[in-house]
Amino acid sequence: MSHPKMSNSAEAVAVSSGPSRGGRSAAWTVTIVLGILILIPSMLGFVMKFRELMAITEGGTEGGFAITPVINYLLASSGFFLLLVWAALNGMFRDLERPKYLMLENEQELDRND
Amino acid sequence: MSAASISTGAHAEAHTHHDLVDEKIVRWYFITALIFLGTSMVAGILMAMQLIRHNPLNGIEIFSAGRWRMIHTNAVAYGFLANGFLGCLHWSIPRLTLQPVFNKHLSWLIYGAWQFVVGATAVGILFGEAQALEWGETPVWIDPVAQLGLLLVAINFMTPIARMKGPMYVTLWYFMAAFVWTFLTYAMGNFMPQYYVGGTSAGAVGGLFIHDLVGLFVTPLGWGLMYYFVPIILKKPIWSHGLSLVGFWGLAFFYPLQGIHHFLYTPIPMFLQYGAVVSTIAVELVVTTVVINFFGTLWGNAGVVKTNIPIRFFYTGMIYYFLTCLQCSFQVTLTFQKIIHFSDWVVGHAHMVMFGVFSMWIMGMMIHLFPRMLNRPWASQNLLEWHYWLSTIGVGFMAGDLILLGVFQGWSWAALEPWDASVDFSYPFWVLRVIAGLAMFGGLLAFAQNIRLTMQAAAKEKAVRA
Ligand code: HEM
């Protein structure tokens, strides 16, 4: 994370758009805390349910029924998982805050060119 | 432009807005969207009149209330929301990627094809051709055309995203996902239950379809557009881009599983119902990240809400969004479901999210973009205020009224009182719904009149200059 104060005023766009390495900001802490809060219960839930699904599909007619929406989900999610890996490998998350400054700079530039 | 941004390869110096954006199509999408919103509202009012036994069209078969209800929901989802979003996408994607859409002629073809799909759906429904799938009532023979249309939309907008250089802004992540999800969701919801699965399985797929339409078509487009328009109007970046990406990936992985929460207490195995409850709780946390991020961005500039009408629409939508999501966290529990299932609570919830949130956002974007496209300010600030207050108060009243009624209905049914009794005590609440609906419709009329006056003034100015 590279924007130490995460100041988000219009003037700050021009000044702080270059990457800099510094202390952690409040936004970054909130990001990490929420990331963990979301990921841990969700992954736990997911693993638990996946094990149950495996058990169900091995016996009875319920298994065939349960598998339809779950297969749908797995198909869609595996695509997104691959996208996540691709994005990470291509450096999309190297500087997480950079795109927000770039977007505003481009907007201002387009308005000036008009 | 800073050296750092040039090094990413994505810079706007060589581009002008007019090379990138086809403003004419944006305008056409907006006006068409508003016509469909008007149609949907008239249909909603007729349906609401039916429920208070004052349907002016009583006895005319093709205008029977059940058909109006389907026209109401289809016109709003596919006619208003989809057209409104498409207009905003034609503005935002080329500006964000600095690339025009794949093909401008294709854009117009899609525009025409989409209006054909929505129009044919309305005619099909009126003449009894509706497909027996909630939110998929589009007659069976139109489904492949709609599916093809969605594919073309994806090609037209994904091309500039793919051609773009440098790391992507969160809005583009959302858009990209929405194009893939909408295509897959539509295919799943319209073809699977029609041709491949039946019985309870079809019910489960139907639940997934309804919810995924909201969560994987409307939500990513709505959030993506807010992440674009809020910073550019406030002229400050979003509070935390990292947090916005947590929201995006959270939605991607946890949303698709929760559709079955519409079918708690049904014959669907409890295993799947609990799975839906768990993933709904995960999504509540995801939603919290979005709300925190937008309020973090507004921090220090709250006064803008008073003076800037689009921002006011956006943040009113955020508050309604927070309220609907809070409601969801109660709704998803089995204890709560026992009371509110099948009651008017759900209808209140639906209006709060579809109108209070997404329609308010779309109207805010229209209010921001119309003056830019017409090159002149709004003809009447007063009409803008009327539009805002009638819409906000109208939907607040409608949602509050129906949510409260839902609790009364649920308790009455749980106490095993005769069903007729619940219809009788619902009557005054349903009358209030008509009044609230008329207020919302009044807001739309004020907006339409303002657009008309502003366009007339723009045309006059152009004539004088010529
Ligand atoms: C003039 C204003 C409106 C009125 C009077 C109105 C009235 C109604 C009525 C009577 C129903 C059927 C309820 C039932 O079956 O018991 C309904 C359903 C629905 N309306 Fe509206 N409506 C209005 C505007 C809107 C708008 C603008 C939207 C979306 C942006 C919307 C979204 C919905 C949805 C999603 C449902 C389905 C709810 C469900 O199935 O649970 N309505 N509306």
Side-chain angles (χ1 to χ4, degrees), chain B residues 44-83:
Chain B
I45 291 169
L46 281 169
M47 178 67 204
M49 300 282 283
Q50 161 75 21
L51 288 171
I52 57 168
R53 294 168 223 140
H54 276 83
N55 183 356
L57 302 175
N58 219 358
I60 308 174
E61 192 189 338
I62 66 161
F63 292 140
S64 60
R67 298 178 197 203
W68 275 126
R69 192 193 191 283
M70 289 186 272
I71 297 271
H72 174 57
T73 51
N74 278 270
V76 97
Y78 305 116
F80 171 62
L81 295 176
N83 275 318

Side-chain angles (χ1 to χ4, degrees), chain B residues 50 231 239 353 446:
Chain B
Q50 161 75 21
W239 187 59
V353 73

Side-chain angles (χ1 to χ4, degrees), chain B residues 93-409:
Chain B
I93 290 185
R95 285 182 71 102
L96 275 166
T97 57
L98 303 177
Q99 305 282 337
V101 292
F102 172 63
N103 186 311
K104 288 191 177 169
H105 299 295
L106 180 61
S107 300
W108 283 102
L109 180 77
I110 293 170
Y111 170 82
W114 194 249
Q115 309 327 318
F116 168 75
V117 167
V118 184
T121 301
V123 174
I125 288 172
L126 286 180
F127 288 92
E129 283 274 319
Q131 188 177 359
L133 287 169
E134 198 178 353
W135 287 100
E137 290 93 352
T138 314
V140 179
W141 58 272
I142 304 178
D143 286 343
V145 185
Q147 193 71 51
L148 180 69
L150 291 172
L151 180 67
L152 294 179
V153 169
I155 293 173
N156 210 22
F157 288 128
M158 291 282 259
T159 309
I161 298 179
R163 283 185 184 149
M164 180 200 165
K165 299 185 186 78
M168 280 201 310
Y169 182 60
V170 59
T171 299
L172 293 173
W173 281 109
Y174 275 116
F175 288 172
M176 212 168 63
F179 299 134
V180 178
W181 282 330
T182 309
F183 182 82
L184 292 177
T185 302
Y186 194 87
M188 173 191 78
N190 284 272
F191 298 107
M192 276 182 57
Q194 181 74 27
Y195 303 109
Y196 305 110
V197 289
T200 345
S201 281
V205 173
L208 211 61
F209 171 61
I210 298 169
H211 206 86
D212 285 0
L213 264 189
V214 178
L216 303 179
F217 155 57
V218 180
T219 302
L221 291 179
W223 283 1
L225 286 164
M226 282 303 97
Y227 275 121
Y228 172 69
F229 280 100
V230 168
I232 63 169
I233 296 178
L234 288 178
K235 293 197 174 18
K236 63 196 272 206
I238 193 76
W239 187 59
S240 165
H241 192 255
L243 189 60
S244 70
L245 289 179
V246 170
F248 170 75
W249 291 103
L251 188 81
F253 289 114
F254 305 126
Y255 205 95
L257 259 188
Q258 54 167 319
I260 288 167
H261 70 202
H262 288 267
F263 294 101
L264 300 182
Y265 287 120
T266 58
I268 291 174
M270 280 321 281
F271 144 74
L272 282 177
Q273 298 187 31
Y274 286 133
V277 172
V278 171
S279 65
T280 305
I281 292 165
V283 170
E284 294 309 327
L285 291 166
V286 171
V287 159
T288 314
T289 65
V290 180
V291 174
I292 290 177
N293 219 348
F294 280 109
F295 281 92
T297 309
L298 187 67
W299 196 258
N301 293 72
V304 182
V305 173
K306 271 198 243 153
T307 51
N308 187 304
I309 304 252
I311 287 288
R312 201 193 296 167
F313 268 87
F314 295 162
Y315 276 86
T316 305
M318 306 273 172
I319 291 170
Y320 276 127
Y321 192 67
F322 176 73
L323 291 176
T324 29
C325 295
L326 187 72
Q327 225 191 346
C328 277
S329 54
F330 290 105
Q331 266 164 224
V332 79
T333 60
L334 290 165
T335 326
F336 226 76
Q337 276 292 318
K338 244 188 215 165
I339 303 293
I340 58 142
H341 204 90
F342 293 132
S343 75
D344 267 322
W345 169 291
V346 184
V347 184
H349 174 72
H351 285 90
M352 189 145 80
V353 73
M354 294 294 253
F355 188 83
V357 182
F358 295 106
S359 306
M360 292 294 271
W361 286 353
I362 290 181
M363 287 190 290
M365 291 183 268
M366 288 180 176
I367 293 170
H368 174 65
L369 292 182
F370 263 118
R372 288 201 57 166
M373 292 188 286
L374 296 172
N375 233 339
R376 57 174 304 114
W378 281 105
S380 162
Q381 280 300 315
N382 263 346
L383 283 174
L384 282 184
E385 293 286 346
W386 276 104
H387 177 203
Y388 172 80
W389 287 109
L390 285 172
S391 305
T392 305
I393 295 176
V395 71
F397 239 94
M398 182 184 282
D401 172 58
L402 294 174
I403 288 166
L404 191 64
L405 171 60
V407 178
F408 293 153
Q409 289 170 336

Side-chain angles (χ1 to χ4, degrees), chain A residues 35-86:
Chain A
I36 293 172
L37 269 180
I38 292 167
L39 285 178
I40 292 181
S42 314
M43 290 317 284
L44 273 178
F46 182 82
V47 171
M48 236 167 60
K49 291 294 146 194
F50 196 73
R51 283 180 46 198
E52 273 181 44
L53 172 74
M54 285 315 179
I56 286 185
T57 44
E58 274 159 23
T61 45
E62 259 200 346
F65 166 75
I67 207 99
T68 323
V70 175
I71 291 285
N72 266 333
Y73 169 73
L74 288 179
L75 276 178
S77 300
S78 53
F80 274 91
F81 184 69
L82 292 179
L83 184 66
L84 181 66
V85 173
W86 173 85

Side-chain angles (χ1 to χ4, degrees), chain B residues 411-451:
Chain B
W411 275 331
S412 161
W413 298 334
L416 300 181
E417 280 177 2
W419 189 74
D420 290 9
S422 71
V423 174
D424 287 343
F425 72 66
S426 298
Y427 192 87
F429 290 87
W430 287 340
V431 172
L432 259 184
R433 178 206 353 233
V434 175
I435 296 168
L438 288 172
M440 285 152 67
F441 190 53
L444 177 68
L445 292 181
F447 190 35
Q449 171 68 351
N450 213 358
I451 294 174

